[in-house]
mmCIF file with all atom_site columns, all heavy atoms in Angstrom:
data_model
loop_
_atom_site.group_PDB
_atom_site.id
_atom_site.type_symbol
_atom_site.label_atom_id
_atom_site.label_alt_id
_atom_site.label_comp_id
_atom_site.label_asym_id
_atom_site.label_entity_id
_atom_site.label_seq_id
_atom_site.pdbx_PDB_ins_code
_atom_site.Cartn_x
_atom_site.Cartn_y
_atom_site.Cartn_z
_atom_site.occupancy
_atom_site.B_iso_or_equiv
_atom_site.pdbx_formal_charge
_atom_site.auth_seq_id
_atom_site.auth_comp_id
_atom_site.auth_asym_id
_atom_site.auth_atom_id
_atom_site.pdbx_PDB_model_num
ATOM 1   N N   . GLU A 1 293 ? -65.058 10.940 -14.538 1.00 96.00 ? 860 GLU A N   1
ATOM 2   C CA  . GLU A 1 293 ? -63.723 11.289 -14.754 1.00 96.00 ? 860 GLU A CA  1
ATOM 3   C C   . GLU A 1 293 ? -63.075 12.048 -13.628 1.00 96.00 ? 860 GLU A C   1
ATOM 4   O O   . GLU A 1 293 ? -61.820 11.937 -13.461 1.00 96.00 ? 860 GLU A O   1
ATOM 5   C CB  . GLU A 1 293 ? -63.705 12.116 -16.073 1.00 96.00 ? 860 GLU A CB  1
ATOM 6   C CG  . GLU A 1 293 ? -62.240 12.199 -16.727 1.00 96.00 ? 860 GLU A CG  1
ATOM 7   C CD  . GLU A 1 293 ? -61.795 10.879 -17.259 1.00 96.00 ? 860 GLU A CD  1
ATOM 8   O OE1 . GLU A 1 293 ? -62.301 10.350 -18.194 1.00 96.00 ? 860 GLU A OE1 1
ATOM 9   O OE2 . GLU A 1 293 ? -60.795 10.386 -16.658 1.00 96.00 ? 860 GLU A OE2 1
ATOM 10  N N   . ASP A 1 294 ? -63.840 12.752 -12.822 1.00 97.00 ? 861 ASP A N   1
ATOM 11  C CA  . ASP A 1 294 ? -63.256 13.437 -11.743 1.00 97.00 ? 861 ASP A CA  1
ATOM 12  C C   . ASP A 1 294 ? -63.100 12.574 -10.458 1.00 97.00 ? 861 ASP A C   1
ATOM 13  O O   . ASP A 1 294 ? -62.757 13.097 -9.429  1.00 97.00 ? 861 ASP A O   1
ATOM 14  C CB  . ASP A 1 294 ? -64.113 14.729 -11.436 1.00 97.00 ? 861 ASP A CB  1
ATOM 15  C CG  . ASP A 1 294 ? -65.512 14.419 -10.955 1.00 97.00 ? 861 ASP A CG  1
ATOM 16  O OD1 . ASP A 1 294 ? -65.897 13.258 -10.764 1.00 97.00 ? 861 ASP A OD1 1
ATOM 17  O OD2 . ASP A 1 294 ? -66.261 15.388 -10.797 1.00 97.00 ? 861 ASP A OD2 1
ATOM 18  N N   . GLY A 1 295 ? -63.399 11.306 -10.552 1.00 97.00 ? 862 GLY A N   1
ATOM 19  C CA  . GLY A 1 295 ? -63.269 10.390 -9.454  1.00 97.00 ? 862 GLY A CA  1
ATOM 20  C C   . GLY A 1 295 ? -64.466 10.274 -8.582  1.00 97.00 ? 862 GLY A C   1
ATOM 21  O O   . GLY A 1 295 ? -64.440 9.587  -7.475  1.00 97.00 ? 862 GLY A O   1
ATOM 22  N N   . THR A 1 296 ? -65.575 10.796 -8.911  1.00 98.00 ? 863 THR A N   1
ATOM 23  C CA  . THR A 1 296 ? -66.841 10.654 -8.135  1.00 98.00 ? 863 THR A CA  1
ATOM 24  C C   . THR A 1 296 ? -67.574 9.388  -8.416  1.00 98.00 ? 863 THR A C   1
ATOM 25  O O   . THR A 1 296 ? -67.778 8.999  -9.557  1.00 98.00 ? 863 THR A O   1
ATOM 26  C CB  . THR A 1 296 ? -67.810 11.865 -8.472  1.00 98.00 ? 863 THR A CB  1
ATOM 27  O OG1 . THR A 1 296 ? -67.116 13.139 -8.244  1.00 98.00 ? 863 THR A OG1 1
ATOM 28  C CG2 . THR A 1 296 ? -69.078 11.751 -7.634  1.00 98.00 ? 863 THR A CG2 1
ATOM 29  N N   . ASP A 1 297 ? -67.889 8.644  -7.283  1.00 98.00 ? 864 ASP A N   1
ATOM 30  C CA  . ASP A 1 297 ? -68.633 7.396  -7.470  1.00 98.00 ? 864 ASP A CA  1
ATOM 31  C C   . ASP A 1 297 ? -70.129 7.688  -7.322  1.00 98.00 ? 864 ASP A C   1
ATOM 32  O O   . ASP A 1 297 ? -70.548 8.420  -6.372  1.00 98.00 ? 864 ASP A O   1
ATOM 33  C CB  . ASP A 1 297 ? -68.233 6.368  -6.375  1.00 98.00 ? 864 ASP A CB  1
ATOM 34  C CG  . ASP A 1 297 ? -66.803 5.848  -6.575  1.00 98.00 ? 864 ASP A CG  1
ATOM 35  O OD1 . ASP A 1 297 ? -66.162 6.373  -7.559  1.00 98.00 ? 864 ASP A OD1 1
ATOM 36  O OD2 . ASP A 1 297 ? -66.337 5.006  -5.817  1.00 98.00 ? 864 ASP A OD2 1
ATOM 37  N N   . LEU A 1 298 ? -71.000 7.105  -8.182  1.00 98.00 ? 865 LEU A N   1
ATOM 38  C CA  . LEU A 1 298 ? -72.412 7.381  -8.242  1.00 98.00 ? 865 LEU A CA  1
ATOM 39  C C   . LEU A 1 298 ? -73.155 6.109  -8.512  1.00 98.00 ? 865 LEU A C   1
ATOM 40  O O   . LEU A 1 298 ? -72.688 5.237  -9.331  1.00 98.00 ? 865 LEU A O   1
ATOM 41  C CB  . LEU A 1 298 ? -72.706 8.437  -9.290  1.00 98.00 ? 865 LEU A CB  1
ATOM 42  C CG  . LEU A 1 298 ? -72.216 9.871  -9.151  1.00 98.00 ? 865 LEU A CG  1
ATOM 43  C CD1 . LEU A 1 298 ? -72.467 10.599 -10.461 1.00 98.00 ? 865 LEU A CD1 1
ATOM 44  C CD2 . LEU A 1 298 ? -72.974 10.496 -8.020  1.00 98.00 ? 865 LEU A CD2 1
ATOM 45  N N   . PRO A 1 299 ? -74.365 5.987  -7.949  1.00 98.00 ? 866 PRO A N   1
ATOM 46  C CA  . PRO A 1 299 ? -75.298 4.944  -8.429  1.00 98.00 ? 866 PRO A CA  1
ATOM 47  C C   . PRO A 1 299 ? -75.570 5.227  -9.919  1.00 98.00 ? 866 PRO A C   1
ATOM 48  O O   . PRO A 1 299 ? -75.687 6.417  -10.270 1.00 98.00 ? 866 PRO A O   1
ATOM 49  C CB  . PRO A 1 299 ? -76.558 5.090  -7.572  1.00 98.00 ? 866 PRO A CB  1
ATOM 50  C CG  . PRO A 1 299 ? -76.067 5.903  -6.339  1.00 98.00 ? 866 PRO A CG  1
ATOM 51  C CD  . PRO A 1 299 ? -74.919 6.771  -6.838  1.00 98.00 ? 866 PRO A CD  1
ATOM 52  N N   . ALA A 1 300 ? -75.724 4.227  -10.732 1.00 98.00 ? 867 ALA A N   1
ATOM 53  C CA  . ALA A 1 300 ? -76.086 4.340  -12.161 1.00 98.00 ? 867 ALA A CA  1
ATOM 54  C C   . ALA A 1 300 ? -77.327 5.119  -12.335 1.00 98.00 ? 867 ALA A C   1
ATOM 55  O O   . ALA A 1 300 ? -77.530 5.841  -13.295 1.00 98.00 ? 867 ALA A O   1
ATOM 56  C CB  . ALA A 1 300 ? -76.051 3.002  -12.808 1.00 98.00 ? 867 ALA A CB  1
ATOM 57  N N   . THR A 1 301 ? -78.269 4.919  -11.456 1.00 98.00 ? 868 THR A N   1
ATOM 58  C CA  . THR A 1 301 ? -79.599 5.583  -11.558 1.00 98.00 ? 868 THR A CA  1
ATOM 59  C C   . THR A 1 301 ? -79.446 7.089  -11.418 1.00 98.00 ? 868 THR A C   1
ATOM 60  O O   . THR A 1 301 ? -80.323 7.807  -11.893 1.00 98.00 ? 868 THR A O   1
ATOM 61  C CB  . THR A 1 301 ? -80.598 5.004  -10.598 1.00 98.00 ? 868 THR A CB  1
ATOM 62  O OG1 . THR A 1 301 ? -80.090 5.066  -9.251  1.00 98.00 ? 868 THR A OG1 1
ATOM 63  C CG2 . THR A 1 301 ? -80.999 3.599  -10.965 1.00 98.00 ? 868 THR A CG2 1
ATOM 64  N N   . GLU A 1 302 ? -78.412 7.553  -10.745 1.00 98.00 ? 869 GLU A N   1
ATOM 65  C CA  . GLU A 1 302 ? -78.192 8.950  -10.616 1.00 98.00 ? 869 GLU A CA  1
ATOM 66  C C   . GLU A 1 302 ? -77.389 9.550  -11.788 1.00 98.00 ? 869 GLU A C   1
ATOM 67  O O   . GLU A 1 302 ? -77.581 10.658 -12.173 1.00 98.00 ? 869 GLU A O   1
ATOM 68  C CB  . GLU A 1 302 ? -77.451 9.278  -9.259  1.00 98.00 ? 869 GLU A CB  1
ATOM 69  C CG  . GLU A 1 302 ? -78.223 9.044  -7.992  1.00 98.00 ? 869 GLU A CG  1
ATOM 70  C CD  . GLU A 1 302 ? -77.531 9.527  -6.786  1.00 98.00 ? 869 GLU A CD  1
ATOM 71  O OE1 . GLU A 1 302 ? -76.613 10.357 -6.906  1.00 98.00 ? 869 GLU A OE1 1
ATOM 72  O OE2 . GLU A 1 302 ? -77.923 9.141  -5.698  1.00 98.00 ? 869 GLU A OE2 1
ATOM 73  N N   . TYR A 1 303 ? -76.497 8.705  -12.262 1.00 98.00 ? 870 TYR A N   1
ATOM 74  C CA  . TYR A 1 303 ? -75.702 9.210  -13.426 1.00 98.00 ? 870 TYR A CA  1
ATOM 75  C C   . TYR A 1 303 ? -76.470 9.212  -14.669 1.00 98.00 ? 870 TYR A C   1
ATOM 76  O O   . TYR A 1 303 ? -76.440 10.220 -15.419 1.00 98.00 ? 870 TYR A O   1
ATOM 77  C CB  . TYR A 1 303 ? -74.431 8.263  -13.568 1.00 98.00 ? 870 TYR A CB  1
ATOM 78  C CG  . TYR A 1 303 ? -73.552 8.754  -14.715 1.00 98.00 ? 870 TYR A CG  1
ATOM 79  C CD1 . TYR A 1 303 ? -72.664 9.903  -14.475 1.00 98.00 ? 870 TYR A CD1 1
ATOM 80  C CD2 . TYR A 1 303 ? -73.498 8.122  -15.931 1.00 98.00 ? 870 TYR A CD2 1
ATOM 81  C CE1 . TYR A 1 303 ? -71.839 10.321 -15.493 1.00 98.00 ? 870 TYR A CE1 1
ATOM 82  C CE2 . TYR A 1 303 ? -72.681 8.631  -16.933 1.00 98.00 ? 870 TYR A CE2 1
ATOM 83  C CZ  . TYR A 1 303 ? -71.816 9.687  -16.725 1.00 98.00 ? 870 TYR A CZ  1
ATOM 84  O OH  . TYR A 1 303 ? -71.003 10.124 -17.662 1.00 98.00 ? 870 TYR A OH  1
ATOM 85  N N   . PHE A 1 304 ? -77.220 8.186  -14.971 1.00 97.00 ? 871 PHE A N   1
ATOM 86  C CA  . PHE A 1 304 ? -78.124 8.106  -16.159 1.00 97.00 ? 871 PHE A CA  1
ATOM 87  C C   . PHE A 1 304 ? -79.515 8.515  -15.778 1.00 97.00 ? 871 PHE A C   1
ATOM 88  O O   . PHE A 1 304 ? -80.462 7.728  -15.478 1.00 97.00 ? 871 PHE A O   1
ATOM 89  C CB  . PHE A 1 304 ? -78.151 6.620  -16.695 1.00 97.00 ? 871 PHE A CB  1
ATOM 90  C CG  . PHE A 1 304 ? -76.776 6.153  -17.099 1.00 97.00 ? 871 PHE A CG  1
ATOM 91  C CD1 . PHE A 1 304 ? -76.183 5.162  -16.382 1.00 97.00 ? 871 PHE A CD1 1
ATOM 92  C CD2 . PHE A 1 304 ? -76.130 6.567  -18.267 1.00 97.00 ? 871 PHE A CD2 1
ATOM 93  C CE1 . PHE A 1 304 ? -74.917 4.649  -16.723 1.00 97.00 ? 871 PHE A CE1 1
ATOM 94  C CE2 . PHE A 1 304 ? -74.988 6.106  -18.658 1.00 97.00 ? 871 PHE A CE2 1
ATOM 95  C CZ  . PHE A 1 304 ? -74.297 5.081  -17.904 1.00 97.00 ? 871 PHE A CZ  1
ATOM 96  N N   . ARG A 1 305 ? -79.683 9.844  -15.739 1.00 94.00 ? 872 ARG A N   1
ATOM 97  C CA  . ARG A 1 305 ? -81.027 10.313 -15.205 1.00 94.00 ? 872 ARG A CA  1
ATOM 98  C C   . ARG A 1 305 ? -82.060 10.228 -16.289 1.00 94.00 ? 872 ARG A C   1
ATOM 99  O O   . ARG A 1 305 ? -83.287 10.143 -15.931 1.00 94.00 ? 872 ARG A O   1
ATOM 100 C CB  . ARG A 1 305 ? -80.882 11.815 -14.808 1.00 94.00 ? 872 ARG A CB  1
ATOM 101 C CG  . ARG A 1 305 ? -79.982 11.973 -13.579 1.00 94.00 ? 872 ARG A CG  1
ATOM 102 C CD  . ARG A 1 305 ? -79.970 13.402 -13.003 1.00 94.00 ? 872 ARG A CD  1
ATOM 103 N NE  . ARG A 1 305 ? -79.146 13.536 -11.823 1.00 94.00 ? 872 ARG A NE  1
ATOM 104 C CZ  . ARG A 1 305 ? -79.627 13.281 -10.633 1.00 94.00 ? 872 ARG A CZ  1
ATOM 105 N NH1 . ARG A 1 305 ? -80.901 12.878 -10.400 1.00 94.00 ? 872 ARG A NH1 1
ATOM 106 N NH2 . ARG A 1 305 ? -78.792 13.429 -9.565  1.00 94.00 ? 872 ARG A NH2 1
ATOM 107 N N   . LYS A 1 306 ? -81.701 10.161 -17.514 1.00 95.00 ? 873 LYS A N   1
ATOM 108 C CA  . LYS A 1 306 ? -82.633 9.929  -18.655 1.00 95.00 ? 873 LYS A CA  1
ATOM 109 C C   . LYS A 1 306 ? -82.203 8.813  -19.412 1.00 95.00 ? 873 LYS A C   1
ATOM 110 O O   . LYS A 1 306 ? -81.006 8.578  -19.671 1.00 95.00 ? 873 LYS A O   1
ATOM 111 C CB  . LYS A 1 306 ? -82.722 11.245 -19.520 1.00 95.00 ? 873 LYS A CB  1
ATOM 112 C CG  . LYS A 1 306 ? -83.230 12.415 -18.860 1.00 95.00 ? 873 LYS A CG  1
ATOM 113 C CD  . LYS A 1 306 ? -83.343 13.578 -19.796 1.00 95.00 ? 873 LYS A CD  1
ATOM 114 C CE  . LYS A 1 306 ? -83.917 14.827 -19.168 1.00 95.00 ? 873 LYS A CE  1
ATOM 115 N NZ  . LYS A 1 306 ? -83.915 16.031 -20.125 1.00 95.00 ? 873 LYS A NZ  1
ATOM 116 N N   . MET A 1 307 ? -83.127 8.048  -19.913 1.00 97.00 ? 874 MET A N   1
ATOM 117 C CA  . MET A 1 307 ? -82.871 6.888  -20.809 1.00 97.00 ? 874 MET A CA  1
ATOM 118 C C   . MET A 1 307 ? -82.593 7.455  -22.213 1.00 97.00 ? 874 MET A C   1
ATOM 119 O O   . MET A 1 307 ? -83.124 8.506  -22.557 1.00 97.00 ? 874 MET A O   1
ATOM 120 C CB  . MET A 1 307 ? -83.997 5.886  -20.772 1.00 97.00 ? 874 MET A CB  1
ATOM 121 C CG  . MET A 1 307 ? -84.200 5.276  -19.382 1.00 97.00 ? 874 MET A CG  1
ATOM 122 S SD  . MET A 1 307 ? -82.788 4.405  -18.613 1.00 97.00 ? 874 MET A SD  1
ATOM 123 C CE  . MET A 1 307 ? -82.123 5.659  -17.469 1.00 97.00 ? 874 MET A CE  1
#
Side-chain angles (χ1 to χ4, degrees):
E860 197 65 68
D861 65 3
T863 303
D864 292 4
L865 293 169
T868 51
E869 290 186 19
Y870 183 76
F871 300 107
R872 293 186 178 276
K873 294 181 179 179
M874 300 300 99

